[in-house]
């Protein structure tokens, strides 16, 4: 059991988030390869969240909110407003672009997480898709409420399509949470005062649990991530996940050329340019 400290990242336009995955100490949890925790932020003034069109490939993005609303627009033509209790699951596969922004009419507070799932090699090039899902399975373990928003946990399976053995779940309350010993897990506290097996988990940290655990006693408001550890981690560079350096370079070049990732119509934010191409050879490890 190890506590990993994240870092603050500025997404531009004043949006600050806590990046909890990847960190130097922990790069993946199962196929989960990225985790940002944002808010609670007051979005009554200014533009709120505004991330302009940008590309993804080789991964799925998951947006889960505790408070507020986020509008998702993508190059397939989807235009959805995601709210608490609903999950936004975008399968980038071969390539998609999307924008995320606060809707004009919105609740005053924004609080949630954005997570990425690395697709396994055989699915990295799959057809892009978008799912906006409610009516997610919920269970109670003592006074602990568990809502599975993606993947499966303790006999519950969320409706969104995934390609590996994993879970993303929202936890609220206090109780003994069963864990699959084949998986590694991470607990991401959403508020102050969260504990796991009595250990405090400050906001901005992540508790990593190695495979072999069958349960953990939790108290508070948090997110559970878990999955079977990857045999080989992919390259995660900017918004792109790939198995080889050359695939990253090709995807980056395609975005800069306006190819492969389509076009997002109607987004408030500006198209996000790719960072300079990597100067050293990227390796999957
Ligand atoms: Mn994105």
């Amino acid at each position: 059991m190890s506590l990993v400290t994240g870092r603050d990242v500025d997404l531009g336009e004043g949006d600050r988030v806590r990046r909890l995955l990847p960190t130097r100490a922990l790069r993946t949890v199962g196929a989960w390869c990225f985790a940002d925790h944002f808010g609670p932020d007051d979005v009554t003034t200014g533009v709120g969240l505004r991330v302009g069109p940008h590309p993804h490939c080789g991964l799925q993005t998951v947006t889960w909110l505790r408070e507020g609303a986020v509008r998702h627009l993508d190059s397939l033509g989807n235009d959805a407003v995601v709210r608490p209790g609903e999950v936004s699951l975008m399968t980038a596969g071969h390539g998609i672009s999307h924008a995320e922004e606060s809707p004009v009419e919105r609740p005053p507070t924004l609080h949630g997480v954005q997570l990425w799932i690395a697709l396994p090699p055989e699915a990295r090039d799959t057809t892009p898709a978008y799912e906006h899902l409610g009516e997610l399975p919920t269970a109670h373990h003592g006074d602990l409420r568990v809502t599975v928003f993606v993947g499966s946990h303790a006999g519950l399976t969320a409706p969104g399509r995934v390609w590996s053995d994993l879970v993303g779940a929202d936890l609220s309350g206090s109780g003994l949470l069963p864990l699959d010993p084949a998986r590694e897990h991470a607990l991401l506290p959403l508020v102050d005062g969260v504990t796991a097996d009595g250990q405090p988990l400050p906001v901005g940290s992540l508790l990593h649990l190695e495979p072999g655990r069958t349960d953990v006693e939790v108290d508070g408001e948090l997110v559970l991530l878990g999955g079977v550890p990857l045999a080989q981690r992919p390259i995660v560079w900017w918004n792109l996940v790939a198995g080889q350096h050359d695939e990253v370079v090709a995807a980056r070049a395609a975005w800069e050329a306006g190819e492969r990732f389509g076009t997002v119509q109607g987004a408030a934010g500006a198209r996000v340019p790719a960072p300079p191409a990597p100067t050293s050879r990227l390796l999957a490890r």
Side-chain angles (χ1 to χ4, degrees):
M1 203 160 82
S2 55
L3 193 67
V4 175
T5 303
R7 64 188 190 280
D8 285 356
V9 173
D10 192 342
L11 297 184
E13 308 232 18
D15 297 318
R16 290 195 70 78
V17 301
R18 300 170 202 90
R19 173 113 349 124
L20 297 160
L21 208 64
T23 61
R24 201 166 294 181
L26 184 65
R27 294 178 50 225
T28 52
V29 176
W32 297 99
C33 63
F34 178 96
D36 272 357
H37 174 207
F38 49 88
D41 291 325
D42 180 349
V43 292
T44 51
T45 59
V47 300
L49 177 72
R50 180 172 286 184
V51 182
H54 59 278
H56 287 291
C57 65
L59 57 77
Q60 296 179 285
T61 68
V62 177
T63 302
W64 176 253
L65 298 180
R66 270 307 186 93
E67 290 182 87
V70 170
R71 184 182 180 197
H72 161 101
L73 302 107
D74 67 36
S75 55
L76 301 178
N78 294 294
D79 182 350
V81 176
V82 182
R83 300 177 189 279
E86 307 165 354
V87 69
S88 179
L89 175 63
M90 184 179 80
T91 301
H94 180 67
I96 195 169
S97 54
H98 74 149
E100 291 150 298
E101 59 195 48
S102 293
V104 176
E105 298 291 328
R106 57 185 182 251
T109 304
L110 180 63
H111 186 203
V113 290
Q114 172 150 136
L115 311 161
W116 297 354
I117 301 166
L119 289 167
E122 66 276 13
R124 266 185 209 133
D125 211 35
T126 194
T127 305
Y130 178 73
E131 295 174 89
H132 174 205
L133 302 160
E135 299 182 28
L136 301 167
T138 296
H140 288 82
H141 302 278
D143 292 325
L144 181 68
R145 191 191 69 220
V146 178
T147 301
V148 181
F149 56 78
V150 67
S152 63
H153 177 259
L156 301 182
T157 300
R161 183 169 183 197
V162 292
W163 276 261
S164 58
D165 185 304
L166 60 84
V167 61
D170 182 282
L171 312 180
S172 179
S174 178
L176 188 65
L177 176 74
L179 297 175
D180 180 343
R183 293 173 172 175
E184 61 181 327
H185 295 88
L187 297 171
L188 189 166
L190 295 170
V191 298
D192 288 325
V194 171
T195 63
D197 286 348
Q199 178 179 340
L201 305 189
V203 167
S205 69
L206 196 71
L207 186 71
H208 182 228
L209 305 171
E210 302 280 352
R213 298 276 310 226
T214 55
D215 54 46
V216 61
E217 185 77 39
V218 298
D219 185 13
E221 312 290 318
L222 56 164
V223 164
L224 169 72
L225 303 179
V228 174
L230 296 180
Q232 187 180 46
R233 295 188 178 102
I235 296 167
V236 181
W237 185 84
W238 189 42
N239 294 312
L240 314 172
V241 168
Q244 304 286 337
H245 173 91
D246 294 350
E247 294 165 18
V248 172
V249 171
R252 180 196 171 279
W255 174 247
E256 291 303 283
E259 298 164 356
R260 178 168 160 180
F261 296 97
T263 304
V264 181
Q265 305 287 348
R271 188 178 194 276
V272 180
T279 50
S280 58
R281 196 155 184 88
L282 305 170
L283 292 173
R285 285 173 286 167

